[in-house]
């Protein structure tokens, strides 16, 4: 079976005007007394003379669109000599023969809208001019210690000379209350990218379900998923999890080397990234195409918990409320199955359910699979608002050596995950094209020729 392509045309690429609008929105937050310093990602060595495929830092990509490593972006709203400055690798004819064309300083301005651009070796000389008269430096201290040292040393020298020149910055601020607040609320362009990523990722999951059979391997299912992504100009947004049998009880299992056995459940947690925006989907299904009675009993509890949590993905609700709704359904289910004994409220208060449900119910989603944005504001759970996208992913896991439960439950791991958009009304499930009702899963798996 050939891997499908998306049924809809992919969204249009973002333009320099789109990135300029984002920088203008950031300017409204930080004001003209702030300056943002963002480093691009570096290439990471994989082994001798080989690097891992490069993926740009999400903050850097969000504001600039610039795709090359090692660059530094400085954004100083209202600066007379230009608010958006890029420091980039110089053009190098010999390296470009081996590694590909570089944009250089000219391309940084013409193709990406920088007001000015310099080579990286000019950064320290230009930095005092960029920081002059700014009270706050917005950057993530600790992420790049070498850059931190260069900037803090410059600020220290400016403070020593501040009586005879422009004022020096007074404080360093993180990006949580500025840039990350912008990234948390997705606009229509971003949602178009996320819907496309979700559609293709859903097709990949459906194809894996149809391909699965005892005797195949986890990596063969992974290969099928990645083939669908690749044929749609996408790549995995994170390390794909394909866990059969007890491997599903390892939450971040990525070995993906085992053989599928008759009677196994298969847990696949995989999502594709389209031009910087990722999907995140988990489905659990039987290798032989039919749920056993025991598997069905646990699966239905997890599905009911997910449905209860999705109903909380609404304006003014919270991620905490979503988690509480899922936890209550799961805990009642554990009591019904005999895994736990006692009143549901008391069990939850003691945290007894965490033996079998040890993670949260969801996380922000966007350019990063665990996307930026605070979950609490002023020490209170943050109210949801339209434009936020969260995963909803309850699960139940019984370790294979857990003798506190009967043998038929041991080694069973089930998680169901969808990507859900907060709207002004009912939640929008971006990943609904992947079946999750047991009957729909079994019907899809029986239809191998689709």
């Amino acid at each position: 079976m050939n891997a499908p392509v998306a049924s809809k045309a992919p969204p249009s690429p973002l333009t320099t005007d789109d990135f300029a609008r984002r920088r203008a929105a950031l300017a409204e937050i930080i004001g003209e007394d702030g300056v943002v310093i963002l480093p691009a990602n570096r290439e990471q060595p994989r082994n001798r003379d080989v690097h891992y495929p490069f993926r740009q830092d999400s903050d850097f990509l969000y504001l600039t669109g610039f795709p090359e490593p090692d660059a530094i972006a400085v954004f100083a709203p209202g600066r007379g000599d230009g608010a958006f400055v890029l420091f980039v690798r110089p053009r190098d004819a010999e390296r470009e023969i081996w590694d590909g064309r570089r944009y250089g300083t000219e391309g940084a301005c013409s193709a990406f809208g920088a007001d000015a651009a310099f080579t990286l070796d000019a950064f320290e000389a230009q930095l005092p001019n960029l920081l002059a008269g700014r009270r706050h430096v917005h950057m993530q201290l600790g992420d790049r210690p070498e850059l931190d040292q260069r900037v803090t040393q410059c600020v220290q020298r400016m403070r020593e000379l501040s009586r005879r020149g422009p004022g020096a910055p007074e404080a360093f601020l993180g990006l949580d209350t500025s840039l990350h607040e912008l990234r948390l609320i997705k606009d229509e362009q971003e949602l178009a990218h996320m819907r496309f990523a979700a559609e293709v990722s859903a097709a990949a999951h459906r194809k894996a379900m149809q391909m699965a059979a005892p005797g195949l391997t986890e990596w063969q299912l992974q290969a099928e998923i990645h083939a669908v992504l690749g044929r749609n100009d996408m790549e995995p947004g994170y390390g794909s999890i394909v866990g059969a049998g007890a491997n599903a009880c390892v939450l971040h299992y990525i070995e993906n080397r085992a053989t599928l056995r008759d009677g196994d459940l298969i847990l696949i947690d995989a999502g594709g990234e389209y031009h910087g925006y990722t999907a995140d989907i988990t489905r659990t299904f039987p290798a032989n195409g039919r749920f056993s009675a025991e598997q069905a009993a646990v699966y239905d509890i997890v599905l009911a918990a997910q449905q209860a949590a999705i109903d909380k993905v609404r304006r003014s609700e919270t991620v905490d409320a979503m988690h509480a709704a899922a936890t209550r359904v799961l805990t009642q289910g554990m009591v019904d199955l005999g895994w736990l004994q006692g009143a549901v409220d008391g069990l939850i208060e003691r945290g007894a359910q965490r033996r079998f449900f040890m993670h949260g119910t969801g996380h922000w989603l966007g350019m990063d699979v665990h996307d930026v944005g605070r979950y609490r504001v002023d020490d209170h759970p943050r109210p949801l608002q339209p434009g936020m996208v969260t995963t909803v992913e309850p699960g139940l896991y019984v370790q294979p050596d857990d003798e506190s439960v009967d043998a038929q439950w041991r080694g069973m791991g089930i998680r169901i995950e969808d990507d859900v958009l907060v709207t002004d009304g009912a939640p929008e499930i971006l990943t609904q094209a992947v079946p999750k009702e047991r009957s729909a899963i079994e019907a899809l798996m029986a239809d191998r020729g689709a």
Side-chain angles (χ1 to χ4, degrees), residues 301-310 312 319-336 339-340 343-362 392-396:
I301 292 168
V302 176
L303 181 58
Q306 196 212 29
Q307 291 167 337
I310 287 175
K312 294 293 184 182
V319 171
D320 284 13
M322 183 178 79
H323 181 65
T327 298
R328 175 162 293 278
V329 174
L330 292 174
T331 306
Q332 181 64 63
M334 294 179 226
V335 171
D336 295 342
W339 298 2
L340 298 175
V344 169
D345 287 341
L347 290 168
I348 293 173
E349 185 176 349
R350 298 196 304 273
Q353 78 284 353
R354 287 198 289 267
R355 265 182 55 211
F356 306 106
F357 175 46
M358 63 291 294
H359 57 76
T361 302
V392 183
E393 51 178 308
L396 287 174

Side-chain angles (χ1 to χ4, degrees), residues 15 58 95 142 172 240 415:
T15 67
S58 294
R95 290 314 314 165
F172 287 83
S240 299
R415 182 165 66 252

Side-chain angles (χ1 to χ4, degrees), residues 122-192:
F123 177 69
E124 290 186 5
Q126 293 294 326
L127 190 57
N129 294 329
L130 296 167
L131 298 181
R134 306 283 161 167
R135 293 181 59 200
H136 301 134
V137 179
H138 297 257
M139 62 184 294
Q140 293 296 88
L141 293 174
D143 287 353
R144 293 281 291 276
E146 179 185 352
L147 179 63
D148 295 351
Q149 184 178 24
R150 296 163 73 187
V151 175
T152 55
Q153 286 179 348
C154 178
V155 170
Q156 183 60 38
R157 288 194 297 269
M158 292 177 67
R159 287 173 178 171
E160 292 170 356
L161 299 172
S162 61
R163 288 184 296 173
R164 297 192 295 272
E170 299 172 4
F172 287 83
L173 301 177
L175 302 176
D176 291 348
T177 59
S178 54
L179 178 56
H180 293 172
E181 286 296 291
L182 287 179
R183 284 183 52 192
L184 177 59
I185 308 299
K186 276 63 179 178
D187 61 26
E188 283 305 315
Q189 286 178 310
E190 292 179 285
L191 291 174

Side-chain angles (χ1 to χ4, degrees), residues 55 193-205 225-226 228-230 232-240 269-282 365-369 419 431:
R55 202 279 192 184
H193 281 67
M194 295 188 72
R195 289 186 178 103
F196 185 78
E199 179 188 357
V200 174
S201 299
H205 275 263
I225 290 168
H226 290 187
V228 175
L229 300 180
N232 287 273
D233 189 24
M234 289 170 57
E235 58 187 352
Y238 53 97
S240 299
D269 186 338
E273 178 182 297
Y274 180 73
H275 291 201
Y277 290 85
T278 191
D280 185 4
I281 304 173
T282 306
L365 184 70
M367 299 187 80
D368 298 312
V369 68
D419 307 339
T431 48

